[in-house]
């Protein structure tokens, strides 16, 4: 069975998922906040995020300084995520450390992280049905 994957669609979904994860969980990571002018607005024109609809006067950099660790399988999507996370970091001020590893290492590290609840990785990009099926109660669907 073959699937056609639209790169822009995948990138948008990944970007929105990253943004949603960050916005809902960053306060637990101890973000560094700076005083900002209330009228300061980040221009998203010309970025992958330009179609993102944000509330009026929304501070997209409210969690600037936070660092999130992201583990992925080393494949084409890992390269895309690394590239897109750089733009995401520039816009939001949130640092994303993407760690691309082989599949067996990914399964081992994610299982260890979930079992020990160490929260080494705040973001995990895997197929939940193959890799994390025993942790299904702890997963959240983040697609809009």
């Amino acid at each position: 069975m073959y699937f056609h994957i639209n790169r822009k669609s995948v990138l948008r979904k990944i970007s929105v998922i990253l943004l949603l994860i960050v916005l809902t969980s960053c306060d637990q990571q101890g973000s560094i906040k700076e005083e900002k002018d209330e009228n300061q607005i980040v221009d998203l024109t010309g970025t992958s995020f330009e179609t993102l609809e944000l509330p009026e006067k929304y501070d997209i950099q409210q969690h600037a300084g936070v660092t999130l660790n992201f583990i992925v399988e080393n494949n084409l999507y890992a390269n895309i995520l690394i590239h897109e996370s750089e733009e995401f970091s520039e816009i939001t001020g949130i640092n994303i450390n993407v760690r691309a590893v082989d599949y067996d290492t990914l399964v081992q590290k994610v299982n260890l992280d979930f079992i020990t609840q160490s929260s080494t990785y705040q973001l995990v990009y895997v197929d939940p049905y193959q890799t994390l099926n025993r942790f299904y109660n702890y997963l959240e669907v983040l697609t809009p």
Side-chain angles (χ1 to χ4, degrees):
M1 180 182 293
Y2 295 96
F3 296 98
H4 173 69
I5 299 173
N6 181 334
R7 183 177 184 264
K8 280 191 168 192
S9 176
V10 169
L11 293 177
R12 278 191 200 120
K13 287 179 182 177
I14 291 170
S15 299
V16 169
I17 290 170
L18 281 173
L19 187 61
L20 290 172
I21 290 170
V22 168
L23 295 178
T24 58
S25 66
C26 282
D27 286 337
Q28 297 173 2
Q29 299 301 320
S31 63
I32 300 170
K33 297 183 180 180
E34 298 177 12
E35 293 297 320
K36 296 182 183 176
D37 180 11
E38 286 185 28
N39 297 326
Q40 181 181 2
I41 297 175
V42 175
D43 185 16
L44 300 177
T45 307
T47 70
S48 299
F49 301 94
E50 68 184 344
T51 59
L52 186 63
E53 295 180 22
L54 298 172
E56 189 176 329
K57 296 184 180 182
Y58 180 79
D59 182 8
I60 198 167
Q61 293 186 334
Q62 65 183 320
H63 298 291
V66 169
T67 298
L68 298 174
N69 296 309
F70 193 177
I71 189 166
V72 298
E73 183 179 0
N74 192 12
N75 58 24
L76 174 66
Y77 295 115
N79 294 329
I80 293 169
L81 288 168
I82 290 168
H83 174 20
E84 291 299 313
S85 68
E86 290 171 5
E87 183 179 27
F88 179 83
S89 294
E90 288 174 18
I91 292 170
T92 64
I94 297 167
N95 302 309
I96 307 287
N97 293 330
V98 180
R99 181 166 183 197
V101 296
D102 64 89
Y103 181 77
D104 291 335
T105 303
L106 174 76
V107 171
Q108 181 183 30
K109 290 194 175 291
V110 169
N111 278 296
L112 184 61
D113 194 53
F114 276 46
I115 291 169
T116 62
Q117 297 180 358
S118 65
S119 299
T120 301
Y121 302 103
Q122 293 78 34
L123 304 169
V124 178
Y125 183 70
V126 294
D127 178 353
Y129 299 106
Q130 286 185 326
T131 310
L132 300 172
N133 56 2
R134 66 193 237 182
F135 302 109
Y136 72 93
N137 287 332
Y138 303 103
L139 301 177
E140 276 301 318
V141 176
L142 298 175
T143 52

